[in-house]
Structures are given as C-alpha cells and as structure tokens.
Amino acid sequence: MMSRGLRVLIGTAAAVVALAGIREVSEIAGPAFLALTLTIAVSPLRSWLVRRGAPGWVTVFVPLATVVVVLGALALALVVAVAQLAELVPAYAGRFQELLASVTAALERIGITAGQAKQIFSTLDPGKLVKAAGDILSSLLGVVSAAVLIVLLLFGMSLDAGFLQEAIRRLTPAPVASALAGFAKDTCNYLVVSTVFGLIVAVLDAAALAILGVPLPLLWGLLAFITNYIPNVGFVIGLVPPALLALLASGPATMVWVVVVYCVLNFVIQSVIQPKYTGASAGLSTTLTMLSLLVWAYVLGALGAILAVPLSAFVRAVLVDADPATRWASPLVAGREVTPRP
C-alpha cells in the first residue's frame, strides 16, 4: 500500500494537471460553471413554483427568464460603463500631467532630482489609472460574448434540474448525495447573501460618490457590486479607480474622503454585518478562500475570481465531503468544527 505522503503527492500532481486542462478550455469551463451557479441560484424560485403546483413548463421558463433578464441587464450596464470609461479617461490627461508636475516639484524639495522623479513616474500613464476597473469590466464583457453558450447551458440545466434533484436524493452511497445537496444549499445561500449585501454596498457607495462629485458614480457602484463577489480583495479593487478619478477631478481632499467613506461603509457592512449572515456557509477557511481566489483567477481569469468561492466549495464537496475516508479533512478545509450532514 502507498504511504499517505505518496498519495498526497500523487493527488497534488493530479490537481495540477486537472487545473492546467481546465485553463486550456477556460472559454468553455468558465461559462459552464457560471450557468451551473446561476441554475443553483434560482433553485429556490423553482422549488417554490413546484410547491405551488405550477406546470412543468412554468418551472423551467420562469427561472430561466429571470436569469436571462438579470444577465441581459448586467451586460447592457457593462457595455455602457466601458464606453463611458473610454470617453472619460482622455479628458483628464492634462490634469494628470499637472498633478505629476506638482508631485515632481514636491520630490525635488526633499532631495529627489527631476531626472530621478521622471524615472520613477516614467511608467505612469493616465490611461492606466483606471486599469483595474477596465480589466475587470472588459474581461466580463468576454463572458457576454459567450452569451449564446451560457443561455443554451442554462436552458439545458433548467430542463434537467427537477430530475437531477430527485436523482441526487436517490444516489448511493448516501455521502455523495449529502455532499452535492450541501454544496447546492450552501452556494445558494452564499449567492443570495452576497447579492443582497453587494446591492447595499453599491447603492451606498454610488450615493456617496455622487455627493462628493466624483464622475460616473453609477459606474463605480456597478464595480463595487461586482467586486463584492471577489473575496477579501474585492473591496480594494472597487476602491482604487474611483479614488484615483477623484484625485484627478477634484484633488487630494476628495480622494481622501472617497477612501474614508469606502473604508467605513465596506468595513461595517462587509466585515461586521455580512459575516453574521453568511457565516461559514461556503465551508472554506480564510486561508483557503485567499488561495482559491488566486488559483481560480489564474485558471479562469476575472470570472474565476468572482466564482472562486462556489468553485472551491464544489471541489470540497466532491473530493472531501463525498468520501467518508476523507471526511477527517473537513475541519481543516472549513477552518472550524464541522457537523456531519444528515
């Protein structure tokens, strides 16, 4: 028999090969898992329709139409946002040069020569100041280009959802059914809570930016909503572009106010209130959440960063929870004591 260390080594090698393969087909794997996640997200609506005695075609059409409408609205908002951003950035090129000159003068007063300052800022460009936002929005627009594939997958999964739910309940051995059902329930709870709090954060951030006079507050509110799904670092990604734009548009004082308002709102909502509702629903420790963000962002790009938690929860369900022989690792993965599912 192989030693435990050798089994771990072989498992790690298999994981690397599997991730490399997924990365090669990321244009298919990303939209496919997005479709699965969205199908799970609207499963409470489907279950409610079934309990109300709705016809079969209604239980398929209504959840599917809900997802398509939401995706269409988000895609339209992304297109408009990218267009507005492309128009806005060149308008602040002159202001950027003025700001750069004032910073260079300040550096000269503390002993840094103009040549050294020029070398420090040589890589800066006004078109890159909102690169973080542009990269995320542009990457997500790539998902919009796969809209036909996503809708087709959603349609197929919506047709199969009712049968698959019953099939999972009848699965043997029982731990497999329990693990998959637990993944679906935890993912649905995570998505619902993240969406509600993301909307709250987006509305408050956009209102604060509008009061402070920062251009395109709705765009930055949309960015705050999207980055709310990115664990741990999403807040920083959503903060940097509006803070830099506030610096260019109104000066350092406004930028400081933007940073303060974002920190207060996001800390209170995302770090104090939201965890009380989300709890440990995803079943991942903080360290594994950070690692999963890095891994899935590398494998699937921006979409992988947004779906990092559901993706890792699915891997945990299949590789840990579904096998009694590996159930001992559940507390290590979750970072807490885990109560066995019935």
Side-chain angles (χ1 to χ4, degrees):
M1 295 180 63
M2 293 186 295
S3 66
R4 186 180 298 275
L6 183 57
R7 293 200 299 269
V8 170
L9 183 62
I10 294 175
T12 302
V16 171
V17 173
L19 290 174
I22 295 173
R23 190 167 188 261
E24 288 299 317
V25 294
S26 59
E27 294 183 356
I28 299 175
F33 195 83
L34 175 62
L36 174 62
T37 304
L38 293 174
T39 303
I40 293 174
V42 295
S43 59
L45 176 59
R46 183 182 304 106
S47 300
W48 180 81
L49 291 172
V50 171
R51 289 195 301 269
R52 297 297 296 265
W57 67 271
V58 173
T59 62
V60 173
F61 175 77
V62 173
L64 176 63
T66 302
V67 173
V68 171
V69 169
V70 172
L71 285 181
L74 183 60
L76 179 60
L78 286 172
V79 171
V80 174
V82 170
Q84 290 179 334
L85 191 61
E87 292 181 1
L88 182 66
V89 171
Y92 288 100
R95 172 60 180 163
F96 173 79
Q97 296 301 328
E98 294 176 5
L99 182 64
L100 199 58
S102 63
V103 173
T104 302
L107 291 176
E108 288 181 352
R109 287 195 292 271
I110 62 175
I112 298 178
T113 65
Q116 291 173 329
K118 184 178 180 180
Q119 185 177 3
I120 293 173
F121 297 116
S122 60
T123 57
L124 292 180
D125 185 273
K128 297 179 181 179
L129 292 177
V130 289
K131 188 175 184 298
D135 285 348
I136 292 176
L137 297 176
S138 299
S139 298
L140 291 177
L141 282 176
V143 179
V144 175
S145 65
V148 175
L149 173 61
I150 294 174
V151 171
L152 288 176
L153 289 171
L154 279 170
F155 180 71
M157 291 179 183
S158 297
L159 286 174
D160 296 337
F163 167 76
L164 288 177
Q165 283 181 329
E166 294 299 324
I168 288 175
R169 292 191 184 100
R170 295 193 298 267
L171 273 178
T172 54
V176 176
S178 176
L180 293 178
F183 158 72
K185 181 180 178 180
D186 291 347
T187 299
C188 186
N189 292 338
Y190 169 79
L191 291 174
V192 170
V193 173
S194 296
T195 299
V196 170
F197 281 96
L199 287 173
I200 295 173
V201 169
V203 170
L204 293 178
D205 286 345
L209 293 175
I211 293 173
L212 292 172
V214 179
L216 302 180
L218 295 180
L219 166 60
W220 308 126
L222 175 63
L223 181 63
F225 172 72
I226 294 173
T227 54
N228 186 66
Y229 292 99
I230 302 177
N232 302 314
V233 300
F235 155 66
V236 178
I237 297 174
L239 166 63
V240 171
L244 292 176
L245 189 59
L247 174 64
L248 292 177
S250 304
T254 305
M255 182 189 72
V256 172
W257 274 110
V258 169
V259 173
V260 170
V261 169
Y262 261 66
C263 289
V264 171
L265 289 177
N266 287 270
F267 175 77
V268 172
I269 294 176
Q270 295 180 330
S271 300
V272 178
I273 301 176
Q274 184 172 340
K276 293 182 180 179
Y277 291 90
T278 56
S281 61
L284 299 173
S285 66
T286 304
T287 302
L288 280 180
T289 301
M290 284 294 298
L291 289 175
S292 66
L293 171 64
L294 298 175
V295 169
W296 293 116
Y298 171 76
V299 174
L300 297 177
L303 187 59
I306 293 174
L307 297 176
V309 172
L311 280 163
S312 296
F314 178 74
V315 172
R316 174 198 165 176
V318 173
L319 298 183
V320 178
D321 295 343
D323 188 354
T326 58
R327 192 74 59 80
W328 59 268
S330 293
L332 301 178
V333 174
R336 60 184 176 85
E337 291 298 326
V338 178
T339 303
R341 296 182 185 274

